[in-house]
Structure formats: C-alpha cells, structure tokens
Amino acid sequence: MLSELAATAFLALSLRSIISLNAYSGYNKPPMFGDYEAQRHWQEVTVNLDAKSWYTNGTHNDLQYWGLDYPPLTAYHSYLVGLAAKTQNASFVSLHASRGIESKEHKSFMRLTVLTADLLIYLPAIWILSVAIDRTFQSNIKELLFLLLALYPGQMLIDNGHFQYNNISLGLAAVAIAAILCNKNYLAAFTFTLALNYKQMELYHALPFFSYLLGTTLSRKSFKSFAIELTAIASIVLTVFAILWLPWLHSIEAASQVLHRLFPLGRGVFEDKVANVWCSINVIFKLRKHFQNHQMALICLGTTLLTVLPTNIILFWRRSKPMFLLTLFNTSAAFFLFSFQVHEKSILLVALPAICLFQWWPNEMLWFLEVSVFSMIPLLKRDHLLIPSVAATVLFHLVFKCNYFKPNKEQMLENKLLNMTVAISEILMLSILVGSLAIKPSARYPDIWPLIISVVSCAHIFLFLVWGYVKQFMQCDRKLYNKIE
Ligand SMILES: *[C@@H]1O[C@H](CO)[C@@H](O)[C@H](O)[C@H]1NC(C)=O
Ligand SMILES: *[C@@H]1O[C@H](CO)[C@@H](O)[C@H](O)[C@H]1NC(C)=O
C-alpha cells in the first residue's frame, strides 16, 4: 500500500511540475496581468503593510490594482509566502516596484509555492478523505480514489497552470468531509471554518455541513448533550473566526470593509463567460438591460435558496453519510448554476463531492468531471493551457478506464443507456473543441465559441443537478437511506 501511495504522489507531483512549465494567467499581458500577478501582489502588500491596511485603499494599496478580495487566511498565507519571497530575492515583493515582475526565477519560485501546498496540504488531505470514504463504506477503493483525486485535471490545471491555491481550500474542505464521515464533528467544524476563511467560495459547501451537524446534535438523546455539543461547535466556529479576523475587529467599519471586499456586489452577476444559468439566459435575454445590479443579486439569492433548501432539508431529516455527500454535490452545483458572481473556477467545488460519489456512480461522475474541465476550456485556452488540458484529461480518462472494476452483466445492461448518452455527449464536446480550433468566429460574433461551450456545459451541469435531486428523492435508491452511523 505504501508503495502505491508513494507512486501516486510521485505521479501527481510530476504531472503538476510538467503543467507548471506552461504559461499562466496574465502572462505578458500588462498593465493588469492576471491571477499570477494578483497572488504575487498580495504577497507584496501583506509583507510591506500592517495587517490593518491590507483590505483598505490607500497610497500604498491601490485596490483598483488587484486589491485583496479573499478572506484573512489567504492573506496570512500570502504573508508567509511573501516572507519566503523576500529571502529569495527582495525584488519579488518590493512595494510598487515589483508590479508585473515576470522573470524565470520568479516563475520558478511561484510554481514551487503551489507545489509545496500540493505536497503539504492537498495530497495528505485527499489521502485522508480516501481512507475515510473507504472505512465508512467498506468499499475497498482507497488507492483508486486517491489516484483519481490526485489526478483530477481541473485542480491541477487551475492551480499549477492558471495559477491559484485552490489546493489549500479544497484540501481543508476534504479533511472536513473526512471528519464528518468519521463522526469527528468538532474537527469537521474546525477544518471547514478554516476552508471558508481561505476562500469565501467554500460557502457552496457550507449548508450541507450546517444541516448535517445541526441534525446530528438535535438527534442526541438528552437535552444536555444536545446543548453541550451545539455550544461546542458554535464556540469552535466563532473562536476560529475571531482569531483570524482579529486585526479587523477593532471597529465595525474595518470589519465591514473586509466583508465588502469579499462580496463585491458592484462587479455584476458574471464577468467572463461562465457555464451557469444567468450567462446562458443572457444569450437571448439581456439581463443587464432589464434588471439593475441589486435586483439581479436578489433574483440570484432567491433562486439559489430555492434550489439548495430542499436538498438540505432532506439531509436534515434523513441524515446518512452517502446522503451528506450527495447533498454536497447538489448544493454546490446549484450554487454554481444560480448564484451571483460565479467564476469558471468555482466548478472545482462541485468536482470534489463528485469524486466522493464515485463508488456509487462511477460512470456518471467520470462524465461530470470531464464536463467540468470542458466548461473551463475558454479560460484555459486564454492562458495557453489547451494542450496540457487535453493531455491531462485523456490521461485521467484512461487511468479511470484501466482501473475501475468491470461491472457485472446486470449492471452492463443498466449502463447501456448511460453509456450511449455519455458517448453522444463526449462526441459533442470533442466536436465543439475541434470546431473552436478549426473555425474562426465571424467578426459579428467573436465570442461564439466560449458562449457555445458555456451553454453546453451549463445544460450538462443543470441535468446533473436534476439527476442529483432525483437520486435523493426517489426512494428506490435505498442504500442512501440506510443510516450508517
Ligand atoms: C485608491 O487609492 C489610489 C492611490 O493609491 C487612488 O488612485 C484611487 O483613486 C483610490 N481609489 C478609491 C476608490 O478611493
Ligand atoms: C533578483 O531579481 C531581480 C529581478 O528579477 C534580478 O535582476 C536580480 O539579479 C535578482 N537577484 C538575485 C540575487 O538573484
């Protein structure tokens, strides 16, 4: 087992290193550059300024230029990486002067920081998750799960290619999910709060944790144990928040400034093309013409709540661990489709629970994961990452096909319809990809290919959400209702 574990980790890090050799977001695109420069700029700001001024505009912190818009844990992480950068070469983070630095030396440093986070946080976290799933459901697939989580192209391409640190927030969320599966509810509350404080997008995962933990504490036999447990969980969450937010808690104004940075309503319902409902509706019905920004925010809030509440209420009443994983999938998919200010990268938050559902619906989930990478193609193409994207996805597909146990005859029959649907969908996605490379868009519709990719991916993700709901509602999937405590 140890040698398999080491081999997978080695393969995962090697692939990430190869992807790292490619371009990143904003390479050679002054004056604003991209996510790579944003991350570097946060190191510059946090290393040089007082924590109090990290989120506020000032002469040394122009928020128009990649102002910090992630929660405090990201800021502290930037600070640590910034300190390392300073010892490497002070010019990497010198105030103002370091803007837009693009040397080879700097690229190696930045890429290494992501690989470090992969090695220290993401890989151990997904191993813990694989073991937890294996133990809880006695499924005997921990090596395969670890392999699939480690080689999922979406996370590699965004973190080691495009340039971000989703590996940290997703790693923390993975440990939180593992903790729920192992009945370590306090640990789950602790690690999930950390994840939420690294990236606010972890809100996509928050409701299932909330319903599951509340439901569990409410089901305790005596009022006393209920009260003790609930108080303990609330104290853990509040203490972690208080410690992380300490530099901005001296005044309401400072705290609300941080909040304002995390939820910038002014940026509108979506920025780039994204595979969600609003961007798709916008093709025929121009939302911005008919609704003001705050109205749109309310519409998003309403539809998101409408789509996430039923699944979480079911979880609250019929708590089981498979149900928890399915609810995570449904909730994050609904958030991705309906909420305000969704980014292409946020599909990674749906991919994590999707991999957790592998043992029940392997073919469906492989299909979903491939759709998730397809939905990010416009972004990856912009970053000149198309070749590594296709290569990593083909590799992932093959690893799955070579490793997964062969279904028996009965399942084969059941799978026939599914296999046909998947084949049609994959041919469609491949044709669109080839079409987008071969056929130049007309001057009248320059964005036609990203738009087609977004709408097709959105239709897929929407169907997956419907599928998830059907699986939850239909009693026929009895295994979901057998409580595994
Ligand atoms: C923020 O500060 C910069 C100078 O550092 C200034 O140019 C800009 O106008 C300020 N923005 C706001 C919104 O105050
Ligand atoms: C630090 O980086 C700057 C700019 O990238 C470069 O000119 C300089 O040679 C580097 N210094 C060292 C000691 O590597």
Side-chain angles (χ1 to χ4, degrees):
M1 192 193 80
L2 205 61
S3 61
E4 275 181 43
L5 182 63
T8 303
F10 182 76
L11 179 62
L13 288 174
S14 309
L15 283 175
R16 284 165 168 77
S17 309
I18 295 170
I19 292 175
S20 296
L21 296 172
N22 289 274
Y24 47 77
S25 153
Y27 176 69
N28 214 352
K29 283 191 193 130
M32 281 304 275
F33 306 95
D35 273 359
Y36 176 92
E37 169 64 5
Q39 298 282 352
R40 191 213 55 79
H41 179 62
W42 299 340
Q43 296 162 21
E44 171 199 339
V45 167
T46 49
V47 164
N48 288 297
L49 307 180
D50 264 357
K52 273 199 185 90
S53 30
W54 289 352
Y55 289 93
T56 37
N57 200 43
T59 42
H60 295 305
N61 187 18
D62 180 2
L63 291 183
Q64 304 278 344
Y65 186 81
W66 298 117
L68 193 50
D69 53 7
Y70 283 135
L73 200 53
T74 288
Y76 300 129
H77 175 233
S78 297
Y79 175 72
L80 282 182
V81 177
L83 288 182
K86 213 171 173 177
T87 55
Q88 181 89 2
N89 184 335
S91 79
F92 290 173
V93 286
S94 68
L95 198 57
H96 302 307
S98 59
R99 278 192 188 185
I101 188 170
E102 291 203 311
S103 67
K104 269 199 168 145
E105 189 200 348
H106 185 252
K107 183 179 167 189
S108 312
F109 169 77
M110 290 290 273
R111 292 302 204 190
L112 263 178
T113 63
V114 182
L115 284 169
T116 308
D118 280 322
L119 181 66
L120 297 183
I121 297 178
Y122 188 68
L123 292 176
I126 57 175
W127 174 245
I128 291 171
L129 178 59
S130 309
V131 172
I133 289 178
D134 198 65
R135 287 221 180 120
T136 312
F137 307 114
Q138 315 279 325
S139 46
N140 215 3
I141 54 161
K142 59 174 174 288
E143 281 91 0
L144 177 62
L145 264 183
F146 180 55
L147 187 65
L148 292 172
L149 280 161
L151 298 192
Y152 168 57
Q155 182 269 331
M156 293 199 280
L157 291 163
I158 294 299
D159 286 354
N160 306 88
H162 175 86
F163 205 91
Q164 283 200 336
Y165 299 91
N166 294 290
N167 47 12
I168 296 184
S169 50
L170 289 174
L172 291 166
V175 176
I177 296 172
I180 291 275
L181 296 179
C182 300
N183 298 318
K184 307 239 180 301
N185 292 348
Y186 298 150
L187 180 65
F190 175 69
T191 42
F192 185 72
T193 313
L194 289 181
L196 192 57
N197 272 290
Y198 194 86
K199 282 203 172 195
Q200 65 273 42
M201 273 68 100
E202 279 296 330
L203 274 175
Y204 290 20
H205 290 152
L207 271 179
F209 277 94
F210 179 78
S211 348
Y212 188 91
L213 289 175
L214 186 68
T216 313
T217 47
L218 274 174
S219 70
R220 296 294 176 234
K221 290 202 176 61
S222 70
F223 178 78
K224 197 174 145 204
S225 51
F226 155 72
I228 291 174
E229 224 172 291
L230 196 66
T231 315
I233 290 176
S235 321
I236 290 169
V237 172
L238 291 177
T239 312
V240 172
F241 261 99
I243 292 172
L244 292 175
W245 284 62
L246 200 59
W248 305 276
L249 290 182
H250 57 90
S251 75
I252 291 179
E253 201 191 331
S256 62
Q257 169 63 14
V258 181
L259 269 180
H260 177 71
R261 292 296 307 161
L262 302 189
F263 301 100
L265 286 184
R267 282 207 212 156
V269 58
F270 54 82
E271 285 168 56
D272 287 315
K273 303 270 173 299
V274 55
N276 79 351
V277 167
W278 307 121
C279 191
S280 303
I281 290 180
N282 198 59
V283 176
I284 35 177
F285 181 79
K286 296 290 169 220
L287 291 166
R288 289 195 181 92
K289 254 193 226 155
H290 293 87
F291 299 107
Q292 285 181 322
N293 205 27
H294 70 275
Q295 287 172 321
M296 206 52 232
L298 281 179
I299 294 173
C300 290
L301 181 70
T303 44
T304 309
L305 283 180
L306 219 65
T307 41
V308 298
L309 281 182
T311 177
N312 283 282
I313 291 169
I314 299 174
L315 173 68
F316 179 80
W317 288 114
R318 314 205 73 157
R319 237 168 19 270
S320 77
K321 280 157 189 169
M323 189 64 104
F324 171 68
L325 298 175
L326 192 54
T327 309
L328 267 181
F329 177 79
N330 288 347
T331 309
S332 45
F335 264 94
F336 181 82
L337 287 172
F338 293 102
S339 66
F340 196 74
Q341 264 272 314
V342 172
H343 289 265
E344 303 97 310
K345 285 100 70 176
S346 306
I347 196 68
L348 299 181
L349 291 150
V350 198
L352 180 67
I355 304 178
C356 298
L357 296 173
F358 243 99
Q359 55 186 310
W360 296 292
W361 299 287
N363 296 304
E364 288 89 334
M365 290 300 109
L366 176 72
W367 181 23
F368 175 81
L369 294 171
E370 291 177 352
V371 170
S372 76
V373 179
F374 178 73
S375 76
M376 293 190 287
I377 279 185
L379 170 88
L380 296 165
K381 191 160 171 242
R382 233 180 300 138
D383 295 344
H384 304 286
L385 290 167
L386 203 54
I387 292 173
S389 306
V390 173
T393 311
V394 170
L395 180 78
F396 183 72
H397 189 93
L398 291 180
V399 163
F400 171 83
K401 290 286 175 193
C402 298
N403 277 281
Y404 207 73
F405 57 81
K406 297 274 173 291
N408 59 33
K409 262 216 178 104
E410 191 187 325
Q411 283 168 318
M412 291 273 258
L413 223 61
E414 222 172 87
N415 280 345
K416 224 173 180 176
L417 185 68
L418 175 69
N419 287 342
M420 233 160 65
T421 321
V422 175
I424 293 172
S425 146
E426 281 178 349
I427 291 170
L428 177 68
M429 290 193 283
L430 276 176
S431 324
I432 293 174
L433 176 60
V434 172
S436 74
L437 295 174
I439 304 170
K440 248 188 134 122
S442 69
R444 208 164 143 221
Y445 303 105
D447 279 342
I448 189 78
W449 287 113
L451 207 60
I452 291 176
I453 293 176
S454 297
V455 173
V456 169
S457 312
C458 172
H460 276 88
I461 299 164
F462 186 80
L463 287 178
F464 270 104
L465 176 61
V466 174
W467 169 88
Y469 256 105
V470 170
K471 289 290 167 202
Q472 233 179 346
F473 272 115
M474 285 200 349
Q475 302 270 340
C476 64
D477 253 286
R478 292 218 173 267
K479 58 187 170 230
L480 288 182
Y481 292 94
N482 294 336
K483 279 199 180 181
I484 306 166
E485 294 294 354

